[in-house]
Amino acid sequence: MASLGVGLHLIRRRGAGRSAAVERRNLLTVCRFSVKSLLDRSCFDTIDDSSPELVNFVSILEHILSHRLKGQMTWFGYESPRSFWDYIKAACSKVPHNCIRSIESMENVRSSRAKGRAWIRVVLMEKRLSEYISSALRDFKTTRRFYEEGAIILGEEAGLLADTLIALHTIDFSFCLKGEGLDGGSPAVIDYMPYLKFTQSADSISSDEEEMRTVGSSCSESSTPDKTATAASIFTEQSNLVSKCKRFESKYRTALEQKGYLEELVRLREAQLSEAVSDNKALQQSLADTHLSHTLEKEQLEYIIMELQDQLKSFQSLEQLSADMSLSQTSLGPSHTLSLEARPARTLWPHQGKEETPSLRGLCGSLTSVASYKSLASLKSSECLASPATENSSPGITPS
């Protein structure tokens, strides 16, 4: 069973390697076709954003630069998707008189994908696309940091790609970079239909000639003898069979090429689906983190509210205690406080001939201090509550 599992794993790895190689070869082939179509279109018309050839070329170049691009690890431990603009910004910073800073300062272009598309259009107008790609490929350390194994940028085909893009320097491009259409959230889609043109091969031409010969032989059957008629009929049957085989073969090739086109579309949709699934997982993770931080903040706020309520209760109790003390001070009269002061400390608690114990002495001392405190408070209150007549009277004059 273990050997069977290892064998299946090897088969899957080989299949994945073959599919990756086919994908790289298809992208590079389609890129060459798109460059040729741009050159053919530029001979008759100007190239702008409305040209389907340009839209398709930009989509193909975006797929090539995004092929097996590594994601960026965040603090939460998951991998966020990354755009090829991050690689261009890091690898092409040493290009003389580069346009990276001007693209970063654009107001209408905000997302990383939109900045990458704006960069492609700017360097096409400057006729420096091949120069930027070559400079980025020379920075091999940065390229290895941004791309995984098997990427087109890391392969030998990348040099051929830079050489292919040199042909675009002969075209005068004209674009309006207002940000409209650049901030599209959906990835670029390649249209393979313009490149599925079937030309007439030499086999089909020979089959047409054979059909014409059969038609001519059938027309001359009435004027030939019987022997020649039988030979001509045999030849015509054989030629008919050969022509039918040629037609079936051409139909089979057409169906095979259409099958390859549909398989490429299915692969593209699967890649889009996997990207959407990864985006969904990232959004769910960010939602869970946000919910966790919200609950923590809510608990902290509840704890702070409880502390504030406890402090408010303690302040209210202190205010109530101060109010009770002020009421007790005002209720005591001056005569009572004077009597407490005039009475000696020993007469407050008659011992009736018993000896004083330490506990009894402490109790008497505390009571004496309480009595003295109350007497002082009553004296202060009596001074504050003195009548106006007594305040105005002098010691030597009595009121009449």
Side-chain angles (χ1 to χ4, degrees):
M1 293 297 292
S3 61
L4 180 60
V6 172
L8 290 175
H9 180 67
L10 290 175
I11 291 171
R12 289 173 183 172
R13 286 187 62 183
R14 290 174 182 173
R18 283 195 298 270
S19 62
V22 169
E23 182 181 1
R24 291 197 302 270
R25 187 170 61 252
N26 289 338
L27 284 174
L28 291 172
T29 304
V30 172
C31 183
R32 288 196 295 270
F33 288 160
S34 64
V35 171
K36 186 177 182 301
S37 63
L38 277 174
L39 292 172
D40 295 339
R41 180 64 181 271
S42 64
C43 296
F44 304 100
D45 197 2
T46 58
I47 305 297
D48 54 3
D49 285 323
S50 61
S51 301
E53 291 84 3
L54 175 74
V55 175
N56 212 18
F57 169 74
V58 171
S59 302
I60 293 168
L61 186 61
E62 193 172 336
H63 274 273
I64 290 174
L65 293 176
S66 302
H67 184 250
R68 300 187 69 83
L69 185 66
K70 291 181 181 179
Q72 186 176 7
M73 297 299 295
T74 60
W75 288 99
F76 298 103
Y78 60 89
E79 188 176 2
S80 62
R82 181 185 278 172
S83 175
F84 69 92
W85 170 246
D86 300 327
Y87 166 67
I88 294 296
K89 184 171 58 175
C92 298
S93 59
K94 297 181 181 179
V95 176
H97 307 290
N98 59 66
C99 59
I100 294 174
R101 185 174 298 177
S102 61
I103 292 174
E104 285 286 345
S105 61
M106 286 184 179
E107 296 181 356
N108 298 326
V109 181
R110 297 180 181 178
S111 64
S112 181
R113 189 191 300 273
K115 290 178 181 178
R117 292 173 179 175
W119 170 78
I120 292 174
R121 285 163 172 79
V122 168
V123 295
L124 282 175
M125 287 191 291
E126 293 179 353
K127 299 181 180 181
R128 299 178 64 189
L129 179 59
S130 178
E131 179 184 355
Y132 277 86
I133 297 296
S134 301
S135 177
L137 293 176
R138 284 194 296 269
D139 192 357
F140 190 71
K141 184 177 180 181
T142 305
T143 306
R144 294 283 297 178
R145 183 162 56 89
F146 276 87
Y147 287 93
E148 298 177 357
E149 291 291 336
I152 297 176
I153 300 298
L154 292 176
E156 297 178 356
E157 303 92 349
L160 298 176
L161 173 65
D163 295 337
T164 304
L165 297 176
I166 296 177
L168 297 176
H169 295 173
T170 60
I171 303 175
D172 294 328
F173 294 94
S174 177
F175 305 114
C176 182
L177 301 176
K178 291 184 178 180
E180 300 176 357
L182 297 178
D183 282 324
S186 60
V189 179
I190 303 174
D191 186 13
Y192 293 93
M193 189 59 69
Y195 312 119
L196 295 177
K197 296 177 181 179
F198 309 108
T199 58
Q200 193 174 18
S201 61
D203 296 335
S204 61
I205 294 173
S206 62
S207 64
D208 294 337
E209 290 178 354
E210 289 177 356
E211 288 180 358
M212 293 298 291
R213 289 172 185 172
T214 56
V215 171
S217 62
S218 62
C219 292
S220 61
E221 281 181 356
S222 57
S223 60
T224 55
D226 296 335
K227 294 181 179 180
T228 57
T230 55
S233 63
I234 294 171
F235 179 74
T236 54
E237 288 178 1
Q238 291 179 353
S239 61
N240 288 330
L241 290 175
V242 171
S243 62
K244 286 181 181 180
C245 289
K246 296 288 185 181
R247 285 196 294 270
F248 280 123
E249 186 179 358
S250 63
K251 289 181 180 179
Y252 173 73
R253 288 178 180 176
T254 303
L256 186 62
E257 290 176 352
Q258 294 291 340
K259 175 178 174 293
Y261 168 66
L262 294 176
E263 287 178 352
E264 186 69 21
L265 287 180
V266 169
R267 186 197 61 77
L268 182 61
R269 296 296 180 268
E270 287 178 353
Q272 293 176 358
L273 179 61
S274 63
E275 185 177 358
V277 169
S278 62
D279 293 340
N280 188 17
K281 288 182 180 179
L283 289 174
Q284 288 180 356
Q285 183 67 27
S286 62
L287 181 63
D289 297 335
T290 306
H291 181 68
L292 179 61
S293 62
H294 174 70
T295 53
L296 291 175
E297 290 177 358
K298 185 178 179 181
E299 291 178 358
Q300 290 178 358
L301 289 175
E302 290 177 353
Y303 181 72
I304 291 171
I305 290 170
M306 291 175 64
E307 285 188 349
L308 290 174
Q309 289 178 355
D310 294 339
Q311 292 178 5
L312 183 60
K313 288 180 182 179
S314 62
F315 288 152
Q316 289 177 356
S317 62
L318 288 174
E319 289 179 357
Q320 185 67 29
L321 181 61
S322 62
D324 293 340
M325 290 180 65
S326 62
L327 288 175
S328 64
Q329 289 174 4
T330 53
S331 62
L332 293 175
S335 60
H336 181 70
T337 57
L338 288 173
S339 62
L340 286 173
E341 288 179 355
R343 187 180 300 173
R346 293 182 177 272
T347 59
L348 288 174
W349 299 94
H351 300 163
Q352 297 179 0
K354 296 182 179 179
E355 294 182 357
E356 295 180 355
T357 60
S359 61
L360 185 60
R361 289 176 184 176
L363 181 61
C364 292
S366 62
L367 291 174
T368 305
S369 63
V370 170
S372 61
Y373 174 73
K374 288 184 178 181
S375 63
L376 289 174
S378 61
L379 284 173
K380 289 181 181 180
S381 62
S382 62
E383 290 176 0
C384 295
L385 297 174
S387 62
T390 56
E391 290 178 357
N392 295 328
S393 61
S394 60
I397 301 171
T398 59
S400 60

